[in-house]
Structure formats: C-alpha cells, structure tokens
Amino acid sequence: MPREIDRRAARTRKALHEALLALMLRKGYETLSVQDIIDEADVGRSTFYAHYTGKEDLLRSGFQMLREELKEAQSATRAGAEASHDDPLGFSTAMFEHAARYADHYRTMIGGRGGAVTENEIRLILSEMVRQELPPTLHGDAIPRDFVVQFIVGAFLTALNWWFERKPKLSPSQVDAMFRRLALEGLSHLIGGEHRQVGRPAASRDTD
C-alpha cells in the first residue's frame, strides 16, 4: 500500500507541474491562481494543498528535477576521458540546454515574482554544483572560496539573462562556449592546471 500511495502522489505532482507549465504559456505566471492550476490538472484543492503550500511552492519544487539533471551531467563530465579535473563549470552545458528547452516559460516570468523565484532557485542549485567542483584549496587563498562560487554563479546568470534578452537566436552551445571561455580564463590562476581551450563561436562576433 505505501508504494501505491507513493506512485499516486508522484502522478499528482507530475500532473500539477504539467498544468503549471501549460498555464504559464497561455496566461503567464503572475496571473495564475491555485484554482487555475487544479482545474487544469483535474485534482481537488485539498489534494493540491496536501503537496504544496501555493503556486510558488509548486514552482520551486520543479527545480528538484533540474538539480538531478545537472548532477547527472556533472557526473558524465567527470567520467569523460577529456574532462578536466580542474573545471568548476561542469554544469554549464546542461544548464544552458535546459534553459533553451524552457525559454518560453522563462520569458513569461522575467521581471515578475516568478522570475525572482526562478533566479533564486537556479542560484542555489548552481552554487551547490560549483562548490562540489572547486578544488578544496584555491591557489594562494587570496580570494575567499565562497566569493569565487558567487562570482561564477553570478556570471552564469548574467550570461543567461543576456542570452534571452539580447541574443535569443544563439544556440546553447554557442553561449556556453562564450561563458566557459571567459570564466575559465579568469579562474585559471586560482584552480591551477590547464583547462581545455574553448574556441570562439562564430556567432560571438556579433554580440553588441
């Protein structure tokens, strides 16, 4: 019986998340109500509140799937024959690809409360990823490790926002290459070793 309950709960959560994503495209996040979501998912109000406290809680919980996806990508990068052991950016390619898949949803939230929730959740996830990838000791220890983490995450979020707002036609691999080139060159004296050179993407010549 507990296993059946778990499966039922998982189906309910999936239905609610799918309803949220569909409604965000049709109505925008800011105008959505819990009633809209439960009507779309065809679940009862009491069922919704058995899982989530409100629509922001539902939105936040969806980022657990992103965390798992990035961890898988991080593990794959470590296992790759050509992967650098001094690369704190193992999340970046998968994160840009994920953002591209949900670009329309992201745009519906920019500037509103949903955008603030999304950016905060991404910041928390990426901070966790970077802390795991950074060497335990940075060369010289002149710069606090936590500052380095926040620098990388802040640079990534800046790149992500620039991409959506200024150059949405760039592919995930193109914007990732630009981000990695700048970030890894800036970090090379702190993390030591030789990182892989990232070639300049052709599209980056037109980035004004």
Side-chain angles (χ1 to χ4, degrees):
M1 181 64 73
R3 187 174 299 174
E4 178 59 32
I5 293 174
D6 289 343
R7 284 199 293 264
R8 190 183 311 140
R11 287 195 297 269
T12 299
R13 288 192 290 266
K14 181 180 179 182
L16 289 168
H17 280 290
E18 289 176 348
L20 176 65
L21 293 175
L23 287 167
M24 282 169 59
L25 293 181
R26 296 208 304 267
K27 300 181 65 172
Y29 176 82
E30 299 302 320
T31 63
L32 289 182
S33 66
V34 169
Q35 189 63 51
D36 292 328
I37 296 168
I38 63 178
D39 287 345
E40 181 78 12
D42 194 23
V43 302
R45 180 172 288 269
S46 61
T47 300
F48 177 92
Y49 285 110
H51 295 278
Y52 306 106
T53 60
K55 70 174 186 177
E56 283 189 16
D57 189 30
L58 173 60
L59 178 63
R60 286 192 184 95
S61 69
F63 286 96
Q64 180 58 36
M65 291 181 285
L66 172 59
R67 178 180 279 104
E68 292 170 0
E69 182 178 331
L70 293 181
K71 284 185 177 180
E72 289 178 6
Q74 197 174 43
S75 297
T77 298
R78 289 172 180 165
E82 297 181 0
S84 169
H85 295 292
D86 297 311
D87 182 358
L89 309 180
F91 67 87
S92 68
T93 302
M95 184 65 226
F96 279 120
E97 290 172 350
H98 182 277
R101 289 198 299 275
Y102 292 94
D104 290 340
H105 296 87
Y106 183 91
R107 291 189 186 98
T108 70
M109 295 186 292
I110 290 177
R113 174 61 184 167
V117 171
T118 296
E119 183 167 314
N120 185 61
E121 291 300 312
I122 292 175
R123 184 180 294 277
L124 291 173
I125 292 169
L126 297 190
S127 295
E128 177 184 331
M129 301 289 106
V130 175
R131 285 191 184 95
Q132 292 174 359
E133 290 294 334
L134 278 177
T137 303
L138 300 177
H139 288 197
D141 285 335
I143 301 177
R145 196 167 184 272
D146 190 60
F147 178 87
V148 177
V149 171
Q150 295 309 313
F151 173 82
I152 295 171
V153 174
F156 179 88
L157 290 171
T158 297
L160 185 66
N161 287 323
W162 173 87
W163 179 30
F164 281 131
E165 295 175 4
R166 298 286 301 277
K167 294 293 180 179
K169 292 184 179 180
L170 288 180
S171 69
S173 61
Q174 287 174 314
V175 70
D176 182 50
M178 290 189 287
F179 167 71
R180 291 179 64 82
R181 181 175 181 178
L182 289 174
L184 286 174
E185 287 180 2
L187 292 166
S188 60
H189 73 288
L190 289 176
I191 61 179
E194 294 294 329
H195 61 76
R196 286 180 292 170
Q197 294 296 318
V198 180
R200 182 184 184 189
S204 68
R205 296 190 185 93
D206 179 24
T207 56
D208 294 332

